[in-house]
Amino acid sequence: GDSVTQMEGPVTLSEEAFLTINCTYTATGYPSLFWYVQYPGEGLQLLLKATKADDKGSNKGFEATYRKETTSFHLEKGSVQVSDSAVYFCALSGIYNQGGKLIFGQGTELSVKP
Amino acid sequence: GAVVSQHPSRVICKSGTSVKIECRSLDFQATTMFWYRQFPKQSLMLMATSNEGSKATYEQGVEKDKFLINHASLTLSTLTVTSAHPEDSSFYICSARDGTRDSNQPQHFGDGTRLSIL
């Protein structure tokens, strides 16, 4: 079945460091891919998405490119801030799913120190 | 746009009580809503898919009689935890998808409900 694997956390970085959170997936066909962010005690917010191969999603300085050849959707940011500290979830919505059901990775906690 | 409101944000109640959580899509019509449960430091576990005007589809291992889901309108779904016990304590999150647009629309999440059963 469809699945998503993220790099394990927690990831601790200094402010202005470069961020990469790896995400790979297994799915039939061409799923849609998403990154969600969860701040402490809150629900999830959509950060960015890509719906087809080679699409690049971007938002708030974060980017991720849909790589069909490596089945990856790695999240990157050139310069992180303390306010980026949160848990990041990679997710996919497969083409054969029921009504847009999401498959989540396990989440990666990011902690940015001043 | 695409705001999902979840209420209440926090509930503390005695064992044996039934608790209702509401999930509303404020600016779009949600033909499908989803209910998740999240344990500390873990990912979201899908409990059920709620379809407007029909019965919810529960994931394997989720008790239908324990977690009652109603999706009576295009903007409201409710989850009722019946006769709650301490093991039901968790963070419950709903999400909704704009059913009037193409199938690649993302899910939009509520802020979650922290349920604590004493």
Side-chain angles (χ1 to χ4, degrees), chain B:
Chain B
V3 177
V4 174
S5 174
Q6 189 172 338
H7 178 80
S9 59
R10 187 176 183 92
V11 179
I12 302 173
C13 58
K14 294 181 178 180
S15 184
T17 306
S18 292
V19 178
K20 179 184 284 188
I21 303 170
E22 292 188 348
C23 182
R24 294 180 185 273
S25 57
L26 297 186
D27 52 0
F28 65 97
Q29 293 183 332
T31 53
T32 305
M33 291 184 171
F34 303 86
W35 287 97
Y36 297 85
R37 185 172 178 175
Q38 186 179 31
F39 293 100
K41 303 288 188 181
Q42 294 189 24
S43 189
L44 281 70
M45 180 191 78
L46 180 65
M47 298 173 66
T49 302
S50 168
N51 298 295
E52 186 267 335
S54 63
K55 291 184 179 180
T57 303
Y58 289 81
E59 295 298 303
Q60 192 171 12
V62 178
E63 298 177 60
K64 300 178 183 182
D65 296 332
K66 176 74 169 176
F67 300 100
L68 300 178
I69 292 172
N70 182 275
H71 193 158
S73 77
L74 285 171
T75 59
L76 173 65
S77 176
T78 60
L79 167 68
T80 300
V81 183
T82 61
S83 187
H85 289 92
E87 59 267 27
D88 299 322
S89 299
S90 191
F91 192 55
Y92 293 87
I93 308 176
C94 74
S95 71
R97 190 172 154 271
D98 188 340
T100 62
R101 302 174 65 184
D102 65 78
S103 61
N104 288 323
Q105 291 305 305
Q107 291 181 27
H108 300 280
F109 287 78
D111 283 338
T113 298
R114 175 74 59 194
L115 176 61
S116 300
I117 308 298
L118 305 177

Side-chain angles (χ1 to χ4, degrees), chain A residues 6 21 35-37 47 62 75 84 86-90 107-108 110:
Chain A
Q6 289 179 235
I21 299 178
W35 276 100
Y36 284 88
V37 58
L47 184 58
F62 291 90
L75 182 68
D84 294 327
V87 180
Y88 292 81
F89 291 95
C90 184
T108 302
L110 171 65

